[in-house]
Amino acid sequence: MTVSINKAINAQEVAVKEKHARTCILGTHHEKGAQTFWSVVNRLPLSGNAVLCWKFCHVFHKLLRDGHSNVLKDSVRYKNELSDMSRMWGHLNEGYGQLCSIYLKLLRTKMEFHTKNPRFPGNLQMSDRQLDEAGENDVNNFFQLTVEMFDYLECELNLFQTVFSSLDMSRSVSVTAAGQCRLAPLIQVILDCSHLYDYTVKLLFKLHSCLPADTLQGHRDRFLEQFRKLKDLFYRSSNLQYFKRLIQIPQLPENPPNFLRASALSEHISPVVVIPAEASSPDSEPITDLVEMDAASQSLFDNKFDDIFGSSFSCDPFNFNSQNGMSKDDKDRLIEQLYGEITALKEELENFKAESARGTVQLRGRASELEAELAEQQHLKQQAQDESEFLRAELEELKKQREDTEKAQRSLTEIERRAQANEQRYSKLKEKYSELVQNHADLLRKNAEVTKQITGARQAQGDVEREKKELEDSFQRVSEQAQRKSQEQAEVLETLKRELATSRQELQVLQGTLESSTQAGAEQSTRIASLEQERDRLSQAAEQHRDEMAALRAELQQLRDTLSHEQESSRTELEMLQTQLRDKESTEQALQQLLAKEQLSLVQGTIHEAKRMVQDAVARMEDPAHISCTGSADCLLSQTLAASECAERLRDAHSKYLLDGTAMNSLLPCLAPFAHLVSNTLLQGSATSHVAPVEPADRLLELCKQCGCEAVSYLSALQDPETVASADCSLVTACLSQISAIGEELRPRGLDIKQEELGDLVDKEMAATATAIETASARIEEMLSKARAGDTGVELEVNERILGSCTGLMQAIHVLVLASKDLQREIVESGRGAASPKEFYAKNSRWTEGLISASKAVGWGATVMVDAADLVVQGKGTFEELMVCSREIAASTAQLVAASKVKADKDSANLCKLQQASRGVNQATASVVASTKAGKSQVEEKDSMDFSNMTLTQIKRQEMDSQVRVLELENQLQKERQKLGELRKKHYELAGVAEGWEEDDSENS
């Protein structure tokens, strides 16, 4: 096996021979692991020869796929070495450097995938049942498994594309040894990709059956991108001559699967990669069928024996004296050589048998998968047929119902449809006609106003059209009302007809009764006569209604004629209005031209002011008064981001202006914000450079100056009509990007804490903060008790007021910490999903570090403020120190609130509680400051000076001493301010060292 490994992994730029790779695979099965492989590979100079590393990746990929299952376990310990080698080769952009880097990343991803999902074998061949078992029927597991498969397939496609981009496709590179060396590993990649694509499709259909479509939008977008890449790569690979005789590459469907339609799963066909048995590699030797191997080996041995010793010797193999003068030593040596060849052939035969058995098992597994898929397809087909039959039956029933409905509608519409339809219709038409005349008069008055107002021409036309539409709507409503009245009359007539039919039936009943009962004949005759009179009266009423209908029809026709005449007159007047409107439009065009000239002058003036603003910012960077200004990297990044976005908007507006010279409305609003944001970015960059290390500060300052010059040049090009078309904002954007990159370098890198300890540290710091606040509250209560016992008068009043306000501040901070913990717990529960809280904290390490820093600041501030209050009560401290401490702890709680609000939902109830608690802390802080100032004023009033007994000379002396003291205090104030500035600068530098800036500086030097 060692010899085969050395032969397979060598520095020659040729493809790995299949027989050597097969021997390595069989060796892992023989020793049930990869110890020998790694012992040989560790002695190879993989970091010094790219071709050697490339062939190592190819052989290792084969071992992970087809080797023993313990190959993965024996190789996990070398995962970090593979990562280091990948980063090392990534710095080499030519030759096999990038190829080796990407291939090593792929192998690391494959090892991590199989480590996380041990149910998946190295060759990724699984049945649908095994795939379901791998997810344990949990939608969260299927969701995570799909993401991991996407990442795995992405690495495969990256290697695919990188190999193709490194080859010259204009020549037949697949027939050269160098080209085959690069293309040979893609066979393993194609095998992996076919399975990953198949499993991804099945998992996505399963997820769409359990989760909403909006939740899986990102999965669908990522799948579509990988589908297009994989389809293109499969198509390009199938056209290469090298792959045509080694592997049969499947073709993906023309369109991707539609995951929103569950039945589309039945249309999915799993891609199957076929490797012909007769040629698994271009340099492999022809292999005889395993069934005939024993006979072939014996025949080969006999032929060699006859060729060497003669045919007569084969008849009498032990007659050594009849040989052609050969010595006994030569014969023994030849026999040993032949026995060695027999042993080698037997070993090769065993290898072939093992490979054949493995291939048989794989084919049987594939056959079982295909049988399961066939059964599933048949089941889906039966379901589709049943559903089709059910829908066909429903369709027939709906057709029958529609025919019955149409018959009923025809019968209803034919029954007295036009009889007595317009009884009150014409009266309503008369009223609407008067309204129409009034509206027409309003139109004429509006037309007169149009002739007087130029700017209102188009509005008048809109009013005319709107009034016309209202008239048409009114006429339509009148028609509908008339139709409803006619329907009501038809219903009345129908009621009369029913009464008449009822009367006739009663008459028939009475006639029958008359025939059967002669005793009541007189009464029945009287009743029949009255009924006949009623019938005659109803007939007369019906005739009268018919006459009224005829009169109403004539009146309706007259109204229609009148309405058409009025419409014609309105149309004539409308044409006159349109003529006047065209005149107004010509005048408006002239005004628009004048307006365009004014807009152009306004744009040029705005550009001039923008240039002046940027130039002023560049000049202020050199101003000595600006040297004392400092800024943070985060603020610089926010300003740079805003300036970059504004530059993009200005570029789009510039493009629109070039396409349409009148589109100044889009260009004008972007100029002032552009100049303002660029100026702010330059000043913020200069301020940030004052507190940054020397080398980044110099680079940042130089980039700010360059950005200002490029911005001025770009604005000058926009201002000049001759160069406005060639103005380019890309240089300004590039400078802003470089400034942003330096800002990213200057940002703090976070706490030096292990990821798995972040969650515990957050809980510890929050608990420590709560404990510190409780301890501080207890100490304040103790100090208040001592003050009441030992102080009197003004001192007792001042101390009680100060300690009471401090107690209120501690209570408010305690409430805020509890609200922060509740909000933090809600954020973790809503954002971690299936992960643990520690994993959530580790994933969001920057946010977690902010919480830790804020909690520490709150606890420290509470302790310092209690100490300051104790000194003030004892008379050893100053009121100013207590005010500074209270403001510092308020700032620390504000930092805690800001850190808690970053990931909170804006509609969260706990967030509202936290904001209320924050306002309570601010009010308590203001109370502490106010009580401290009031106490200070009382003490100063108590210690007021008395000058009544001093002489003029003494007062003059005291005045001079006071002036001297004032000058000394002013000098001390100036020095303390300078000291404060230096302390802040040093604090910033120390914080940068703690966050890893020192390491960056050493690397840069």
Side-chain angles (χ1 to χ4, degrees):
M1 181 177 177
T2 303
V3 177
S4 299
I5 294 173
N6 289 323
K7 289 183 178 180
I9 306 175
N10 54 50
Q12 297 179 1
E13 194 174 1
V14 296
V16 177
K17 291 188 178 182
E18 187 65 27
K19 59 183 180 181
H20 297 154
R22 184 167 57 248
T23 304
C24 296
I25 294 171
L26 294 176
T28 60
H29 286 281
H30 180 70
E31 68 174 4
K32 293 181 174 55
Q35 294 86 354
T36 304
F37 173 76
W38 282 108
S39 63
V40 176
V41 168
N42 287 332
R43 295 194 297 268
L44 297 176
L46 300 180
S47 300
N49 193 310
V51 177
L52 194 69
C53 182
W54 176 255
K55 299 179 78 171
F56 154 73
C57 294
H58 184 191
V59 176
F60 184 41
H61 197 174
K62 278 179 169 288
L63 294 182
L64 289 176
R65 279 188 52 84
D66 301 326
H68 195 270
S69 58
N70 290 333
V71 172
L72 178 62
K73 298 178 182 178
D74 295 338
S75 303
V76 170
R77 70 187 69 174
Y78 301 101
K79 188 166 60 175
N80 294 330
E81 285 79 352
L82 296 180
S83 300
D84 297 338
M85 197 182 305
S86 174
R87 286 193 295 269
M88 187 274 294
W89 283 117
H91 297 294
L92 184 61
N93 296 324
E94 298 178 356
Y96 284 85
Q98 289 295 325
L99 297 178
C100 292
S101 176
I102 295 175
Y103 207 165
L104 289 169
K105 290 179 182 177
L106 169 59
L107 295 176
R108 179 184 173 89
T109 303
K110 183 177 180 66
M111 294 167 64
E112 292 175 350
F113 176 81
H114 289 289
T115 303
K116 292 181 181 178
N117 305 280
R119 294 178 182 266
F120 283 83
N123 55 10
L124 295 174
Q125 292 183 0
M126 295 181 67
S127 62
D128 293 342
R129 180 179 58 82
Q130 293 173 336
L131 184 62
D132 294 337
E133 292 176 354
E136 298 178 355
N137 292 326
D138 187 356
V139 67
N140 294 323
N141 293 341
F142 285 125
F143 191 93
Q144 183 63 28
L145 182 59
T146 307
V147 173
E148 292 174 359
M149 284 191 176
F150 278 143
D151 297 338
Y152 191 177
L153 185 56
E154 187 70 26
C155 293
E156 301 274 4
L157 295 177
N158 286 340
L159 179 60
F160 223 136
Q161 290 179 330
T162 307
V163 171
F164 274 170
S165 61
S166 67
L167 297 174
D168 186 5
M169 290 303 176
S170 62
R171 299 183 298 173
S172 300
V173 294
S174 63
V175 297
T176 63
Q180 291 177 2
C181 182
R182 299 192 183 194
L183 293 174
L186 295 186
I187 295 177
Q188 311 302 318
V189 175
I190 293 171
L191 292 171
D192 288 344
C193 289
S194 62
H195 292 296
L196 290 175
Y197 167 76
D198 183 31
Y199 300 153
T200 304
V201 172
K202 294 177 180 178
L203 289 177
L204 283 178
F205 273 112
K206 188 179 295 293
L207 288 175
H208 278 78
S209 64
C210 303
L211 297 176
D214 296 339
T215 305
L216 300 172
Q217 181 63 42
H219 278 48
R220 290 197 300 274
D221 295 341
R222 194 171 182 185
F223 173 80
L224 291 177
E225 180 182 1
Q226 292 184 352
F227 173 81
R228 289 190 291 268
K229 291 181 180 178
L230 186 60
K231 181 180 177 181
D232 178 63
L233 293 172
F234 273 9
Y235 175 75
R236 295 172 63 183
S237 301
S238 60
N239 293 328
L240 291 178
Q241 187 66 31
Y242 175 71
F243 290 120
K244 287 183 178 180
R245 56 194 181 91
L246 294 179
I247 188 171
Q248 184 178 344
I249 303 174
Q251 295 298 325
L252 299 184
E254 185 67 24
N255 297 317
N258 185 7
F259 299 108
L260 302 179
R261 184 168 56 91
S263 59
L265 178 59
S266 60
E267 303 172 2
H268 171 64
I269 300 175
S270 300
V272 179
V273 180
V274 179
I275 299 179
E278 62 274 7
S280 59
S281 178
D283 53 354
S284 62
E285 299 174 358
I287 300 173
T288 312
D289 192 88
L290 294 177
V291 180
E292 301 176 357
M293 182 54 67
D294 292 335
S297 300
Q298 185 63 34
S299 176
L300 178 61
F301 174 75
D302 293 340
N303 293 334
K304 288 185 176 181
F305 200 89
D306 293 341
D307 292 340
I308 296 172
F309 297 102
S311 58
S312 60
F313 185 79
S314 61
C315 298
D316 189 4
F318 300 100
N319 186 12
F320 295 103
N321 297 324
S322 60
Q323 260 328 305
N324 299 324
M326 295 184 66
S327 64
K328 184 177 181 181
D329 295 337
D330 295 337
K331 296 174 184 177
D332 294 338
R333 187 169 58 255
L334 186 56
I335 291 173
E336 290 176 357
Q337 180 180 357
L338 292 175
Y339 274 123
E341 291 179 359
I342 292 172
T343 304
L345 289 173
K346 286 183 179 180
E347 291 178 355
E348 189 172 2
L349 176 60
E350 292 297 330
N351 294 337
F352 288 155
K353 287 182 179 180
E355 186 175 1
S356 176
R358 187 172 64 255
T360 303
V361 172
Q362 293 177 357
L363 291 176
R364 287 177 180 173
R366 183 59 181 169
S368 61
E369 292 178 6
L370 293 176
E371 288 176 358
E373 291 178 0
L374 179 59
E376 185 178 0
Q377 296 293 336
Q378 290 177 352
H379 177 66
L380 293 174
K381 179 180 179 182
Q382 184 64 32
Q383 288 182 350
Q385 290 178 353
D386 296 339
E387 186 177 0
S388 176
E389 293 295 334
F390 178 75
L391 293 176
R392 190 177 293 108
E394 286 187 348
L395 180 61
E396 294 295 332
E397 185 177 356
L398 289 175
K399 287 182 179 179
K400 292 180 181 179
Q401 291 179 1
R402 188 182 65 180
E403 291 175 358
D404 296 338
T405 305
E406 289 177 354
K407 290 179 181 179
Q409 288 178 353
R410 285 196 299 270
S411 62
L412 289 175
T413 54
E414 291 297 327
I415 296 174
E416 298 293 329
R417 184 171 57 86
R418 298 176 181 175
Q420 300 178 357
N422 299 317
E423 180 181 6
Q424 296 180 356
R425 181 177 179 183
Y426 300 101
S427 60
K428 296 292 183 181
L429 282 174
K430 289 180 181 179
E431 294 176 0
K432 293 300 177 181
Y433 175 71
S434 61
E435 292 178 3
L436 191 148
V437 172
Q438 183 65 30
N439 291 333
H440 182 64
D442 294 337
L443 275 175
L444 293 177
R445 284 195 296 272
K446 290 179 180 179
N447 182 26
E449 293 176 359
V450 167
T451 58
K452 295 178 182 179
Q453 299 178 359
I454 295 176
T455 58
R458 291 185 177 178
Q459 183 178 1
Q461 182 183 6
D463 294 335
V464 171
E465 293 177 354
R466 197 159 48 248
E467 291 294 333
K468 180 180 178 182
K469 185 175 182 181
E470 291 176 357
L471 291 175
E472 293 175 354
D473 295 338
S474 300
F475 179 76
Q476 183 66 25
R477 288 194 297 270
V478 169
S479 301
E480 291 175 356
Q481 291 176 0
Q483 186 175 3
R484 284 197 300 271
K485 290 297 182 181
S486 63
Q487 290 178 356
E488 293 176 357
Q489 290 182 358
E491 292 175 357
V492 172
L493 181 59
E494 184 66 25
T495 303
L496 292 175
K497 286 185 177 182
R498 286 196 298 270
E499 292 178 356
L500 181 59
T502 305
S503 299
R504 289 177 179 176
Q505 292 177 359
E506 292 176 355
L507 179 60
Q508 292 177 0
V509 172
L510 290 174
Q511 288 178 356
T513 306
L514 182 60
E515 294 175 356
S516 61
S517 178
T518 57
Q519 291 83 5
E523 295 179 0
Q524 292 176 355
S525 300
T526 304
R527 187 175 180 181
I528 290 172
S530 62
L531 289 175
E532 289 179 349
Q533 290 177 0
E534 183 67 21
R535 184 189 62 185
D536 294 338
R537 186 178 62 79
L538 291 175
S539 300
Q540 291 176 1
E543 187 66 28
Q544 185 178 1
H545 279 299
R546 292 190 184 94
D547 296 339
E548 291 177 356
M549 280 290 299
L552 288 174
R553 286 193 181 95
E555 188 175 0
L556 175 61
Q557 185 63 35
Q558 183 178 2
L559 287 175
R560 285 179 177 174
D561 296 340
T562 305
L563 182 61
S564 62
H565 178 69
E566 290 295 332
Q567 287 179 348
E568 185 66 28
S569 61
S570 299
R571 189 179 298 107
T572 305
E573 293 174 358
L574 182 61
E575 291 177 355
M576 295 174 60
L577 290 175
Q578 289 177 350
T579 304
Q580 295 176 0
L581 181 61
R582 284 193 292 270
D583 296 338
K584 303 301 183 296
E585 287 179 349
S586 61
T587 306
E588 184 179 358
Q589 289 178 357
L591 293 175
Q592 286 180 351
Q593 293 177 357
L594 181 61
L595 179 62
K597 293 181 180 179
E598 294 179 355
Q599 286 180 346
L600 180 60
S601 61
L602 179 61
V603 168
Q604 292 182 349
T606 304
I607 294 175
H608 178 72
E609 289 298 323
K611 287 171 55 181
R612 188 188 60 78
M613 188 181 300
V614 177
Q615 290 171 351
D616 182 56
V618 175
R620 287 177 62 187
M621 290 171 59
E622 303 293 340
D623 190 358
H626 184 67
I627 296 177
S628 61
C629 297
T630 60
S632 64
D634 291 331
C635 185
L636 175 62
L637 289 174
S638 63
Q639 289 290 341
T640 307
L641 179 61
S644 301
E645 293 176 353
C646 185
E648 293 296 333
R649 292 195 298 271
L650 180 59
R651 179 185 296 174
D652 297 338
H654 182 209
S655 302
K656 293 180 181 178
Y657 175 71
L658 293 179
L659 296 176
D660 184 9
T662 60
M664 298 181 184
N665 294 331
S666 61
L667 182 62
L668 189 60
C670 299
L671 292 172
F674 173 76
H676 177 70
L677 291 173
V678 170
S679 301
N680 287 347
T681 302
L682 299 181
L683 295 176
Q684 186 63 36
S686 177
T688 305
S689 67
H690 296 157
V691 293
V694 177
E695 184 177 352
D698 294 340
R699 289 192 289 118
L700 180 59
L701 194 61
E702 185 64 27
L703 281 174
C704 289
K705 294 179 181 179
Q706 183 181 355
C707 182
C709 296
E710 295 296 342
V712 171
S713 301
Y714 175 63
L715 293 174
S716 301
L718 285 180
Q719 189 177 12
D720 190 357
E722 297 180 356
T723 60
V724 66
S726 61
D728 188 8
C729 191
S730 60
L731 296 177
V732 180
T733 306
C735 292
L736 291 175
S737 300
Q738 295 177 5
I739 293 174
S740 178
I742 296 178
E744 287 289 346
E745 295 178 2
L746 296 178
R747 288 187 66 185
R749 287 172 171 64
L751 300 175
D752 188 12
I753 303 171
K754 294 182 179 179
Q755 297 266 332
E756 57 270 16
E757 297 177 358
L758 282 175
D760 297 334
L761 189 58
V762 170
D763 297 334
K764 291 179 182 177
E765 288 299 332
M766 295 298 288
T769 302
T771 304
I773 293 172
E774 292 175 358
T775 304
S777 300
R779 286 186 61 189
I780 292 174
E781 291 293 335
E782 182 181 354
M783 287 188 291
L784 185 59
S785 300
K786 291 181 180 179
R788 288 172 179 172
D791 297 336
T792 59
V794 176
E795 292 181 355
L796 177 59
E797 182 181 356
V798 170
N799 292 337
E800 283 184 344
R801 186 185 300 117
I802 292 175
L803 293 177
S805 60
C806 290
T807 303
L809 177 58
M810 288 300 165
Q811 293 175 353
I813 293 173
H814 182 68
V815 173
L816 183 137
V817 171
L818 293 178
S820 177
K821 292 172 68 176
D822 294 338
L823 180 60
Q824 172 190 345
R825 190 180 303 109
E826 177 185 341
I827 292 171
V828 173
E829 291 298 327
S830 62
R832 68 185 179 93
S836 63
K838 291 184 178 180
E839 292 175 350
F840 178 82
Y841 284 127
K843 181 179 180 181
N844 302 273
S845 59
R846 182 59 62 85
W847 175 70
T848 306
E849 292 165 3
L851 282 179
I852 295 171
S853 176
S855 300
K856 285 184 177 180
V858 171
W860 177 81
T863 304
V864 173
M865 193 185 79
V866 172
D867 295 337
D870 191 7
L871 293 176
V872 170
V873 171
Q874 294 177 6
K876 300 178 182 180
T878 61
F879 293 94
E880 288 79 6
E881 183 178 0
L882 184 59
M883 287 189 288
V884 170
C885 291
S886 62
R887 289 170 180 167
E888 185 66 25
I889 195 171
S892 301
T893 55
Q895 180 184 358
L896 180 61
V897 172
S900 302
K901 286 171 60 179
V902 170
K903 290 187 174 294
D905 187 7
K906 63 179 181 180
D907 298 330
S908 173
N910 290 324
L911 179 59
C912 295
K913 294 180 181 178
L914 181 64
Q915 292 174 344
Q916 292 177 358
S918 176
R919 289 191 288 269
V921 170
N922 292 333
Q923 294 174 0
T925 303
S927 177
V928 171
V929 174
S931 61
T932 304
K933 288 182 178 179
K936 180 180 179 182
S937 300
Q938 285 184 332
V939 172
E940 289 175 353
E941 289 176 0
K942 180 181 177 182
D943 298 335
S944 60
M945 293 179 293
D946 186 12
F947 303 109
S948 60
N949 297 325
M950 297 179 65
T951 62
L952 178 62
T953 304
Q954 291 175 341
I955 292 176
K956 187 65 175 177
R957 182 63 182 174
Q958 291 290 334
E959 182 181 354
M960 293 176 63
D961 293 340
S962 297
Q963 289 178 356
V964 172
R965 183 62 178 166
V966 167
L967 292 176
E968 291 176 352
L969 291 176
E970 287 178 350
N971 291 331
Q972 291 180 3
L973 176 62
Q974 183 66 25
K975 292 179 181 179
E976 287 297 326
R977 284 178 176 172
Q978 293 178 356
K979 182 179 179 181
L980 177 61
E982 293 296 327
L983 286 173
R984 287 176 176 173
K985 185 175 181 180
K986 189 63 177 178
H987 176 259
Y988 187 84
E989 292 176 357
L990 292 176
V993 171
E995 299 301 330
W997 287 1
E998 187 177 60
E999 297 176 1
D1000 293 345
D1001 292 341
S1002 62
E1003 291 176 0
N1004 293 330
S1005 61

